[in-house]
Amino acid sequence: MRTQFGISALLIASFILNGCKKDEQEVIPQQEIQFVIDHSIGNTPVNFFDVFQNPAGNSYKTSTLKYILSNFKLVKQDGSIVNFPNIEVVNEELDTTKTFKLTNVVDGNYAALRFSIGVDSVQNATLVNGGGDLDPSDGMVWTWNTGYIFLKHEGQFLDSAGIWQPFVYHLGTNSGYTEIEIPLQSFTIEGKLKTIRLNFDLIKAYGAVNTLNYTIWQNQQSVTTADKPWILAIKANLKQSFAIRSIE
Amino acid sequence: MRNHLGILCALLLISSCAKDVPVPEDEFPKGPTPLTIQTPFGFPQLIIPQNNPTTIEGVALGRKLFYDPILSGNNAMSCASCHAQNFGFTDHENTVSTGIDGIAGTRNSMPLFNLAWAPALLWDGGAADLESQVLAPITSPIEMHEDVAHALDELNAHNEYPALFEKAFGTPKATSFLLMKAIAQFERTMISADSKYDRYMRGDAQFSEQEIRGMNLFSDMNKGDCNHCHTLGGLFTDFGYRNTGLDFEYADQGRFLITLNEADKGKFKTPSLRNIALTAPYMHDGRFTTLMECVQHYNTGFVVTPNLDPALAFVQQGRMTQQEMEDIVVFLHTLSDSSFISNPAFSAP
């Protein structure tokens, strides 16, 4: 009888310990990576009041620069991938949107950072399941053709007659979903918060691979047949437009 | 005794480490009341999306929002302004609707019923689901022309809505998602399934000889052949997109605007024929005033375009007599559901 009690108590205790194990696992070091994003035109920070030149030679001013980043992944040296649920809407005008964290980053050696501009086709199929920062009230959606606007760059440029003309670039639709990979050099997470400073360079967005001229492509909203070549052109550029300034 | 002690120890241990043990049931806050929508006789099984279960409080909120001009830019136009119950939730026999800025649209206001079964909304299927569709007319610059964030601010500052959102969704704060969900819930309850045709099928009403002739012609592949797309019974639509040979040149490219597929030029969604006698004028642009004009179009009026629907490409023009067309029109009148258009559950709260 006593032994029976002893055994059952042990069993119960072990069940309970198992039940509590979750708490123990949380002790395993899991760090945060803080991202700080800056927008530049070459070496100069984007400023909405200043006139810049794109690689095609158009003089332009920016009035909106806003985009969605999602599907963050860290690729370990051994090739395994760690996924993060973040969906971040980054808005040049709002500093708070330019800083965000990936949490539950496990220690290890990482070889690459991946993320996407826009949301994947599953997320893009409805406006009602928004995760992360997604919210149809912030203007990054098409309501008559269900889907998210992945990137908005709007402003004015000087046309050949010297007149300021609007340009509107809205990247979206599943074909506009842009996956980006940035190789990392000897990036080790070891028990400390890391800050990754990430730069988005508009010079590259308009000329890294294909030179985009606002005179030719002035109002591109991803929703007509004429936008198809533009989507491919800017997508190729965007893949090259992000760079890590530093990891601290 | 020892066993009891063991159990007691175990209980103590369990309670010591389990932070998430549910509180006793009577301490739960009372959530919204689930509402089961019955699938009507002869309809496909109704499937409610898991992310938006229908509740009595959600439907009540959605109904209030549907009738509230607070969702338009100048607080003068509600969903109901262009979707009037008496007209099968269409726009008072207007060819196209005019928004808050006095700008006319290009398409005829679509009827609203049996939307719970629709795989996509709008004439071109551009809205992927009922929830996503909600924002389309609210934000359209030629319709309600409202900024969603502004509408939400107004709802959150309102003296009634926070309590209604709390009841429906457990949070007083209106968000775009909850706004979409509430209106979609109300729309899912808008079921029309009690026309004379339905009562006839249930054995509760008699058809005249002409109505029976019309029903038979409706399905006759060599005559009306309406059944091909406006599936007889249940929903009276296959929800497909079709080019019905209205024009050689497309003023509105329809489904193509969404898919950018050449083959979709001039295609529009097959509308349900239920309540069709109440929802004039007809076609995506409201070009036909009467049902007879519509039947005539499918008899002799359609033009052969590259994208013409195969169902029309193979029918003979002029295959119906005047009498046969009249019979079909008489049958179409049996699809009017007077209990639907007078149902107080769908009227202004």
Side-chain angles (χ1 to χ4, degrees), chain A residues 1-2 5 8 12-13 16 19-20 23 125-131 134-138 141 143-146 148 222-225 228, chain B residues 2-3 5-6 10 13-14 17 19 51 122 124 126-129 131-132 135-136 139 147-149 152 176-177 180-181 256-258 260:
Chain A
M1 191 62 182
R2 267 185 191 168
F5 167 62
S8 60
I12 291 166
I16 291 158
C20 292
D23 294 335
T126 177
L127 301 184
V128 79
N129 275 349
L134 295 183
D135 183 341
S137 71
D138 81 353
V141 292
T143 57
W144 45 272
N145 185 354
T146 301
Y148 284 90
S222 302
V223 290
T224 70
T225 327
K228 285 182 175 177
Chain B
R2 275 172 182 168
N3 273 341
L5 191 69
L13 280 165
I14 286 168
C17 78
K19 285 179 200 158
N51 64 9
L122 306 181
D124 54 21
D129 50 53
E131 282 80 1
S132 300
L135 299 180
T139 56
D147 176 62
V148 179
L152 295 174
S176 9
F177 300 122
M180 295 155 82
K181 287 182 175 183
F256 171 82
L257 297 172
I258 305 305
L260 302 184

Side-chain angles (χ1 to χ4, degrees), chain B residues 5-266:
Chain B
L5 191 69
I7 290 164
L8 190 69
C9 285
L11 280 172
L12 281 172
L13 280 165
I14 286 168
S15 60
S16 71
C17 78
K19 285 179 200 158
D20 305 326
V21 166
V23 288
E25 209 166 316
D26 54 357
E27 286 178 32
F28 263 118
K30 218 166 177 254
T33 323
L35 176 68
T36 306
I37 306 175
Q38 300 296 334
T39 301
F41 175 79
F43 277 51
Q45 182 60 43
L46 177 58
I47 296 166
I48 302 291
Q50 283 184 343
N51 64 9
N52 192 16
T54 319
T55 65
I56 288 171
E57 293 81 357
V59 170
L61 172 60
R63 178 181 171 198
K64 185 172 169 65
L65 289 164
F66 184 90
Y67 281 96
D68 197 334
I70 197 170
L71 296 180
S72 64
N74 64 357
N75 288 3
M77 177 176 269
S78 70
C79 307
S81 300
C82 299
H83 295 285
Q85 187 175 13
N86 289 349
F87 298 87
F89 288 96
T90 59
D91 188 8
H92 310 88
E93 301 191 340
N94 289 320
T95 308
V96 293
S97 302
T98 303
I100 67 161
D101 300 324
I103 304 168
T106 54
R107 294 179 182 168
N108 185 239
S109 167
M110 294 207 84
L112 307 183
F113 49 79
N114 303 343
L115 300 177
W117 287 270
L121 288 302
L122 306 181
W123 276 108
D124 54 21
D129 50 53
L130 209 43
E131 282 80 1
S132 300
Q133 188 278 336
V134 166
L135 299 180
I138 295 175
T139 56
S140 168
I142 60 167
E143 297 181 41
M144 295 162 79
H145 202 180
E146 173 65 305
D147 176 62
V148 179
H150 180 251
L152 295 174
D153 286 346
E154 286 184 278
L155 291 173
N156 285 317
H158 195 269
N159 59 359
E160 293 172 68
Y161 279 110
L164 297 176
F165 274 91
E166 173 82 49
K167 278 186 190 168
F169 297 108
T171 163
K173 192 168 185 284
T175 66
S176 9
F177 300 122
L178 299 182
L179 169 68
M180 295 155 82
K181 287 182 175 183
I183 294 180
Q185 282 189 38
F186 170 57
E187 289 177 325
R188 284 202 177 88
T189 65
M190 296 163 67
I191 291 176
S192 175
D194 194 30
S195 63
K196 185 177 182 183
Y197 168 81
D198 298 293
R199 294 195 301 276
Y200 168 76
M201 292 305 285
R202 294 196 301 257
D204 298 336
Q206 296 286 313
F207 264 7
S208 70
E209 274 182 34
Q210 189 178 20
E211 286 165 344
I212 290 173
R213 283 204 308 274
M215 182 171 65
N216 291 334
L217 289 162
F218 183 95
S219 307
D220 187 335
M221 283 182 70
N222 298 312
K223 291 294 180 181
D225 200 23
C226 319
N227 181 45
H228 222 114
C229 313
H230 298 284
T231 324
L232 184 76
L235 300 164
F236 280 88
T237 171
D238 64 354
F239 295 114
Y241 302 93
R242 298 165 188 281
N243 182 319
T244 56
L246 288 166
D247 303 294
F248 284 114
E249 301 278 331
Y250 307 124
D252 182 339
Q253 302 195 80
R255 182 70 178 154
F256 171 82
L257 297 172
I258 305 305
T259 65
L260 302 184
N261 179 351
E262 284 292 318
D264 286 335
K265 280 192 173 164

Side-chain angles (χ1 to χ4, degrees), chain A residues 140-153:
Chain A
M140 297 297 274
V141 292
W142 284 291
T143 57
W144 45 272
N145 185 354
T146 301
Y148 284 90
I149 298 174
F150 300 164
L151 177 141
K152 272 188 181 178
H153 187 208

